[in-house]
């Protein structure tokens, strides 16, 4: 490197490590993490992206108010309650506290009275049974897909799983339930057609190689028109006469029927209709952490629990703690958001719009807006509400603000629906919007 090469002026790592701001950051970040960010700043200077004298500010800026995780909390102003891209169900205060309490040493597999080893997840299992008395037994695994894999592996390894063609579901990121099941060694026996399946289709498919019958709720789409399907009660009769178990995947995790969600299936109804095992996710309409729930007959659940694969898909102590607290605690945020009063949402939206207008930003209005359940639950069911309408250009600035705000871009506008924004965050939201609008306004000024 030539003597006059400006890269010789790039600050050394040891010198940067002694900066007061860097030393303060070591209380919350590891030395490895800090050195990685220092190298990133130095590399930017070496490539000419920044000047050598800007490295110090670059390092300090990269460490400022940064935690040990890259995940950024945001305000969900989309109106979508179970937003997969934003982490699905927001946890209740009770569940959040339970995770904090369980972060240290806890009696997850110990009986404190005897001092001996106990079964894992006893509290979460009992909470599920208390919440869903129709179930004889329950098992919790890492997620809904894991629950389906465990059930089909334990009940139909190298045997046939009878399933309607109209229930072949593709879930997020391109994963297909059919692929998950065949990966376990099960053989899918498709019956019926995309739009119509009858009881006779199932009975004619039964043979000596049948491991189970599977009914999957097509949670993320609807087929209308010339359609027909077979109810759980009818399938239960077929399965019982054939001596094979009936698995029902209801998907979204609704414990009991909710009139506001019309035809959305629930675990209790499925069990009462005769399902031997019902599968659901914990982080959707149940409003808890990511988990796969299996509820049903004791004989079947115990068979799943004893299968070697159960060890591979079991969930950790944090999930068990959060799930138990979700079930035993007060109404979850998901439940509250689903049943928000539209008039109360309108009052909040108008108050937000007034705050924005009072700050000198007139391009704001309040418009009717239907929220959505999200997460594959109750597709097409509107959640009546209201939204604050802003210029579309503000959306990106809001996402990168403090706090980050994610709205909905629709018809050339950025819509902010307060359904999933806790009311105590209304002032933070107003501040974030006013700041973002001011930045947009500043950028638009000529000769600034």
């Amino acid at each position: 490197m030539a003597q006059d090469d400006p890269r010789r002026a790039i600050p050394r790592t040891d010198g940067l490590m002694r900066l007061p701001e860097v030393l303060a950051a070591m209380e919350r970040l590891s030395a490895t993490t800090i050195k990685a960010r220092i190298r990133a700043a130095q590399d930017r200077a070496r490539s000419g992206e920044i000047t050598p004298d800007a490295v110090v500010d670059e390092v300090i800026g990269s460490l400022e108010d940064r935690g040990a995780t890259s995940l950024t909390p945001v305000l969900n102003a989309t109106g979508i309650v179970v937003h997969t891209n934003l982490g699905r169900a927001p946890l209740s205060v009770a569940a959040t506290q339970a995770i904090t309490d369980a972060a240290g040493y806890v009696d997850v597999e110990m009986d404190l009275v005897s001092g001996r080893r106990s079964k894992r997840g006893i509290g979460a299992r009992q909470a599920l049974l208390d919440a869903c008395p129709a179930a004889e037994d329950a098992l919790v695994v890492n997620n809904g897909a894991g629950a389906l894999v465990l059930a089909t592996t334990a009940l139909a390894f190298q045997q046939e799983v009878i399933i309607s063609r109209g229930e072949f579901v593709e879930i997020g990121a391109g994963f297909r339930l059919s692929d998950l099941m065949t990966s376990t060694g099960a053989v899918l026996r498709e019956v019926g057609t995309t739009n119509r399946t009858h009881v006779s289709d199932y009975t004619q498919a039964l043979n000596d190689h049948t491991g189970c019958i599977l009914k999957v709720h097509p949670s993320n789409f609807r087929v209308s028109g010339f359609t027909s399907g077979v109810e759980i009660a009818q399938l239960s009769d077929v399965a019982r006469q054939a001596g094979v178990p009936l698995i029902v995947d209801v998907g979204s995790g609704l414990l009991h029927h909710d009139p506001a969600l019309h035809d959305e299936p629930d675990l209790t109804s499925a069990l009462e209709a005769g399902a031997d095992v019902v599968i659901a996710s914990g982080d959707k309409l149940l409003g808890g952490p990511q988990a796969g729930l299996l509820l049903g007959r004791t004989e079947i659940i115990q068979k799943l629990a004893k299968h070697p694969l159960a060890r591979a898909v079991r969930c950790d102590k944090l999930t068990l703690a959060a799930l138990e607290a979700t079930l035993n605690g007060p109404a979850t945020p998901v439940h509250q958001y689903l049943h928000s009063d539209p008039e109360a949402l309108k009052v909040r939206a108008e108050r937000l719009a007034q705050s924005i207008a009072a700050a000198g930003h007139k391009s704001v209005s309040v418009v009717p807006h239907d929220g959505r359940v999200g997460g594959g639950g109750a597709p097409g069911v509107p959640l009546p509400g209201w939204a604050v309408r802003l210029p579309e250009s503000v959306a990106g600035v809001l996402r990168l603000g403090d706090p980050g705000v994610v709205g909905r871009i629709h018809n050339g506008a950025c819509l902010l629906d307060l359904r999933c924004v806790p009311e105590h965050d209304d002032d933070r939201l107003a501040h974030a919007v006013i700041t973002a609008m001011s930045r947009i306004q500043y950028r638009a000024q000529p000769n600034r």
Side-chain angles (χ1 to χ4, degrees):
M1 185 181 296
Q3 290 294 322
D4 58 351
D5 192 320
R7 289 176 294 180
R8 295 181 63 86
I10 295 174
R12 291 166 51 92
T13 300
D14 54 356
L16 292 169
M17 289 292 288
R18 290 194 294 269
L19 290 171
E21 295 86 353
V22 173
L23 293 174
M26 287 185 179
E27 296 180 3
R28 48 191 168 79
L29 297 173
S30 70
T32 301
T33 299
I34 291 174
K35 287 179 180 178
R37 294 181 183 177
I38 287 175
R39 283 196 300 272
Q42 292 169 329
D43 288 343
R44 291 192 66 197
R46 292 188 185 100
S47 65
E49 292 182 50
I50 60 175
T51 60
D53 58 5
V55 169
V56 170
D57 289 339
E58 179 82 5
V59 170
I60 294 174
S62 71
L63 299 174
E64 204 169 46
D65 299 326
R66 300 290 178 88
T69 175
S70 62
L71 295 177
T72 303
V74 298
L75 296 181
N76 175 13
T78 64
I80 301 172
V81 179
V82 183
H83 199 306
T84 298
N85 302 125
L86 299 181
R88 289 188 176 170
L91 295 181
S92 65
V93 173
T96 304
Q97 183 60 53
I99 288 177
T100 300
D101 294 341
Y105 295 115
V106 290
D107 56 341
V108 65
E109 288 186 18
M110 175 176 280
D111 180 350
L112 295 180
V113 175
S114 65
R116 296 178 179 176
R117 183 170 185 166
S118 65
K119 288 187 177 181
R120 187 182 187 88
I122 292 176
R125 172 185 173 276
Q126 189 59 53
L128 274 171
L129 295 178
D130 290 343
C132 187
E136 295 178 4
D137 205 349
L139 178 65
V140 184
V141 296
N142 59 348
N143 59 26
L148 183 59
V149 166
L150 174 60
T152 53
T153 301
L155 301 177
F157 178 69
Q158 293 185 340
Q159 291 184 296
E160 293 182 351
V161 176
I162 300 178
I163 180 174
S164 168
R165 285 188 175 90
E167 296 172 3
F168 268 46
V169 179
E170 180 175 303
I171 55 180
F175 290 102
R176 296 177 175 176
L177 295 188
S178 55
D179 293 338
L180 288 173
M181 289 182 284
T182 55
S183 72
T184 70
V187 178
L188 297 187
R189 180 71 179 271
E190 306 170 33
V191 299
T193 63
T194 302
N195 61 317
R196 292 178 69 81
T197 304
H198 308 283
V199 172
S200 59
D201 293 319
Y202 289 95
T203 56
Q204 292 171 12
L206 290 165
N207 59 62
D208 293 339
H209 302 292
T210 300
C212 65
I213 296 175
L214 172 65
K215 184 172 182 60
V216 178
H217 173 58
S219 58
N220 54 4
F221 69 94
R222 288 189 182 279
V223 177
S224 60
F226 187 58
T227 64
S228 69
V230 182
E231 299 296 326
I232 295 174
Q234 295 174 290
L235 277 183
S236 176
D237 290 339
V238 172
R240 186 166 53 253
Q241 292 174 14
V244 298
L246 170 61
I247 305 172
V248 177
D249 188 339
V250 300
S252 63
L254 195 63
L255 283 173
H256 307 281
H257 176 64
D258 187 337
L261 300 181
H262 305 305
D263 299 326
E264 187 68 16
D266 63 277
L267 286 89
T268 297
S269 297
L271 288 166
E272 290 177 344
D276 294 302
V277 181
V278 179
I279 295 172
S281 295
D283 57 346
K284 295 183 179 179
L285 292 181
L286 183 66
Q290 176 177 294
L293 313 179
L294 299 111
L295 295 91
R297 289 173 42 208
T298 300
E299 175 188 355
I300 302 294
I301 296 298
Q302 286 303 307
K303 183 175 182 178
L304 303 184
K306 293 175 182 178
H307 193 278
L309 186 59
R311 179 64 176 80
V313 296
R314 80 174 189 179
C315 52
D316 71 335
K317 61 179 181 179
L318 302 182
T319 299
L320 292 171
L323 177 61
E324 183 179 356
T326 296
L327 293 163
N328 290 337
T332 64
V334 165
H335 180 83
Q336 294 171 7
Y337 299 159
L338 288 174
H339 299 88
S340 294
D341 178 9
E343 288 305 310
L345 292 174
K346 184 178 183 181
V347 170
R348 292 174 61 198
E350 290 176 339
R351 189 165 57 232
L352 174 60
Q354 290 168 3
S355 297
I356 298 169
H361 307 292
K362 305 303 182 183
S363 55
V364 55
S365 60
V366 175
V367 297
H369 184 255
D370 288 339
R372 288 290 186 268
V373 175
V381 175
L383 303 175
W386 299 82
V388 176
R389 189 179 191 277
L390 303 171
E392 182 179 352
S393 58
V394 79
V397 181
L398 278 173
R399 290 196 300 270
L400 299 176
D402 183 17
V405 178
V406 181
R408 180 190 177 203
I409 297 176
H410 181 66
N411 286 342
C414 175
L415 303 179
L416 302 184
D417 186 325
L418 276 66
R419 175 180 299 277
C420 305
V421 177
E423 191 165 358
H424 62 75
D425 278 326
D426 283 2
D427 289 343
R428 293 178 67 221
L429 176 59
H431 175 74
V433 174
I434 292 170
T435 300
M437 294 284 281
S438 298
R439 289 177 180 172
I440 293 295
Q441 193 175 62
Y442 175 72
R443 291 176 184 176
Q445 292 175 356
N447 302 320
R448 57 180 178 83

